[in-house]
Amino acid sequence: MATELRTGSKSLRAVMGQLRSKGVGGDGENEKETLRVLCYDTTSWVSDAFQPAVKAFNADPENSFQMMIDFTTERLGPQSATYAAGYEAICTFVNDTADAGTIQTLSRLGVNMIAQRAAGFDRVDTKAARAYGMTVARVPAYSPYAVAEMAIALLMAVNRKTSKASNRVKMANFSLDAGLLGVDIHGKTVGVMGTGKIGQILCNIILGFGAKLICYDVFQNEEVKKAGGVYVTKDEIFAQSDILFFMMPLLPATRHTLNMDVLPKLKKGMMLINTSRGGLVDTKALLQGLRTGVISGVGMDVYENEQEYFFQDWSAKRIQDPDLTALLGEPGVVMTAHQAFFTKEAVNKITQTTMENLRDFKLGKREFDHPNNCIPKDD
Ligand code: NAD
């Protein structure tokens, strides 16, 4: 069960009491030390996955300490960092922000570990974390298949208009008129920017369509080349791709890879699929591309300013973000709310690796060469 923390008249002590009563683990049945963890941005899948994992951990006599995880629906940020008083570690997700100020507050409160239950850590200031001696771990790979397969699902929904077609058929409209025409993927030129773990799997699926695969990455992946991918320059991938996938992380160098300057370089009528991070796309440029027909459709599982909206039900509320409203009104847009990772296999792996990261932290294994440590030696 997720616990909602709210600032207000309640004292922090009362709120923390409420939190602890609804958490899991650390029941004091034995004398073992307890690692207290506060899990931010909790939705039901998170507590449903972690509660049994914590129970199993605590029931295992091999474990030298107990784990206790409390859950809050609050996002981590400079204000909500104060909720972590009394916890040694916190667990965060893709839209939690651990900037320098937040890390300073966490450190002051005695938090020494951020366990990111995701691969990307673009919202964690790793330099600040290093300065405050904070361990930051992540789940480097949970199911690259989940994300690659979702990227293809988005492509098919954009190209073959499957959501629109299904909605129409459910309303007994069986006509093929008005915008259902798609194209064969077979024979098209498909570009993949970022050929890492997810990108490589995607490349293999694309080759299965019988498409021509072109790639761009700062490092060339030999497996992708062997399979039939051809590396080209950034301008070439923009110019030649009928379909373009963004599969690279959000970094200063990749922020707004799609921007106003890139629009004239794109093949007219191309489709863009982004399952990586919203910040790879300048939303205003995307809207311009859609309105001018340069971009015929976009499949997006991520959105630049998603943190205000994603993982929450806004169906009965007014969306205040005009760019998001504009995107939702564009016929060529298929948008999902950051769910590409969301398969049973991925959730199991996220839970398992996060529990291992927390265990390793408590056992003192915080080395920079720990495979899940986000802070590289030379950061
Ligand atoms: P990865 O680290 O294995 O691969 C990333 C690739 O991007 C690497 O090959 C790297 O060299 C390349 N890259 C780095 N800088 C680049 C640049 N400037 N231009 C082009 N390529 C560049 O990561 P991954 O596991 O394949 O994940 C990719 C991204 O997918 C993650 O960073 C994350 O943002 C996103 N992701 C999204 C979801 C979701 O649910 N939507 C889930 C998991 C991951």
Side-chain angles (χ1 to χ4, degrees):
M1 183 198 322
T3 305
E4 187 151 13
L5 260 181
R6 291 192 187 284
T7 47
S9 55
K10 269 186 189 173
S11 72
L12 186 60
R13 186 188 296 263
V15 174
M16 299 319 286
Q18 177 202 356
L19 257 181
R20 286 191 181 128
S21 68
K22 294 192 177 175
V24 61
D27 51 16
E29 275 174 11
N30 57 45
E31 297 305 309
K32 284 182 184 173
E33 211 184 313
T34 299
L35 172 65
R36 293 180 186 280
V37 184
L38 179 58
C39 189
Y40 281 90
D41 200 8
T42 302
T43 44
S44 58
W45 74 264
V46 180
S47 43
D48 288 351
F50 277 90
Q51 279 172 336
V54 170
K55 282 200 177 122
F57 182 92
N58 290 344
D60 185 345
E62 294 289 309
N63 289 319
S64 58
F65 65 94
Q66 295 272 287
M67 188 97 72
M68 190 195 83
I69 301 190
D70 287 323
F71 301 98
T72 172
T73 56
E74 287 286 324
R75 293 256 162 86
L76 176 66
Q79 302 294 324
S80 59
T82 55
Y83 299 148
Y87 295 89
E88 214 177 325
I90 60 167
C91 180
T92 54
F93 199 42
V94 289
N95 286 317
D96 289 304
T97 304
D99 56 16
T102 302
I103 287 172
Q104 185 186 30
T105 304
L106 290 170
S107 173
R108 195 165 38 79
L109 294 172
V111 174
N112 288 313
M113 200 239 184
I114 299 174
Q116 171 82 351
R117 52 181 191 280
F121 53 97
D122 42 278
R123 300 179 76 86
V124 180
D125 185 331
T126 50
K127 283 201 167 63
R130 172 189 273 270
Y132 284 97
M134 184 94 57
T135 299
V136 184
R138 63 177 179 139
V139 184
Y142 28 95
S143 173
Y145 302 99
V147 183
E149 289 168 13
M150 182 68 182
I152 294 294
L154 285 171
L155 168 62
M156 298 318 274
V158 170
N159 176 34
R160 305 302 298 270
K161 288 87 180 166
T162 42
S163 340
K164 184 177 176 178
S166 172
N167 288 342
R168 280 166 46 159
V169 166
K170 283 189 175 167
M171 294 178 78
N173 177 353
F174 303 106
S175 93
L176 297 184
D177 296 338
L180 296 189
L181 191 66
V183 296
D184 288 359
I185 308 297
H186 179 91
K188 294 291 175 298
T189 300
V190 179
V192 176
M193 293 185 79
T195 52
K197 289 182 286 297
I198 298 170
Q200 182 181 332
I201 290 162
L202 178 72
C203 287
N204 289 330
I205 302 175
I206 290 165
L207 289 166
F209 278 103
K212 179 183 172 195
L213 175 65
I214 55 173
C215 306
Y216 173 81
D217 197 310
V218 286
F219 298 107
Q220 299 194 358
N221 181 330
E222 290 306 317
E223 295 301 315
V224 168
K225 282 207 249 184
K226 260 189 250 162
V230 176
Y231 281 86
V232 297
T233 65
K234 217 191 266 191
D235 278 353
E236 284 167 341
I237 206 166
F238 290 146
Q240 294 172 24
S241 298
D242 297 298
I243 298 153
L244 183 59
F245 288 89
F246 282 174
M247 288 287 153
M248 63 285 200
L250 179 60
L251 303 165
T254 58
R255 188 175 164 70
H256 286 182
T257 294
L258 183 97
N259 57 42
M260 292 291 183
D261 296 336
V262 164
L263 287 182
K265 299 179 182 175
L266 296 175
K267 188 165 183 178
K268 192 165 165 49
M270 60 86 72
M271 290 176 252
L272 176 71
I273 310 295
N274 182 13
T275 55
S276 282
R277 285 292 179 266
L280 298 175
V281 171
D282 172 3
T283 308
K284 299 225 179 314
L286 173 62
L287 282 165
Q288 167 127 335
L290 287 162
R291 286 169 185 154
T292 54
V294 171
I295 301 172
S296 65
V298 60
M300 46 198 294
D301 186 52
V302 287
Y303 164 60
E304 206 176 359
N305 298 313
E306 68 179 46
Q307 67 279 5
E308 291 293 317
Y309 297 95
F310 281 20
F311 310 134
Q312 294 162 33
D313 182 0
W314 275 77
S315 56
K317 293 186 271 184
R318 184 177 293 274
I319 291 175
Q320 304 290 346
D321 175 346
D323 287 344
L324 179 56
T325 313
L327 281 171
L328 296 179
E330 277 292 326
V333 174
V334 175
M335 192 188 292
T336 48
H338 211 135
Q339 64 164 79
F341 73 97
F342 202 41
T343 62
K344 283 181 187 169
E345 292 80 359
V347 167
N348 287 343
K349 182 76 176 161
I350 287 170
T351 310
Q352 185 198 342
T353 308
T354 304
M355 292 292 290
E356 286 165 8
N357 289 342
L358 288 164
R359 180 202 61 201
D360 287 357
F361 160 75
K362 188 68 180 168
L363 295 176
K365 298 180 191 168
R366 304 169 194 182
E367 307 85 10
F368 291 122
D369 54 2
H370 189 290
N372 299 342
N373 197 326
C374 295
I375 309 176
K377 270 190 187 123
D378 53 357
D379 187 45

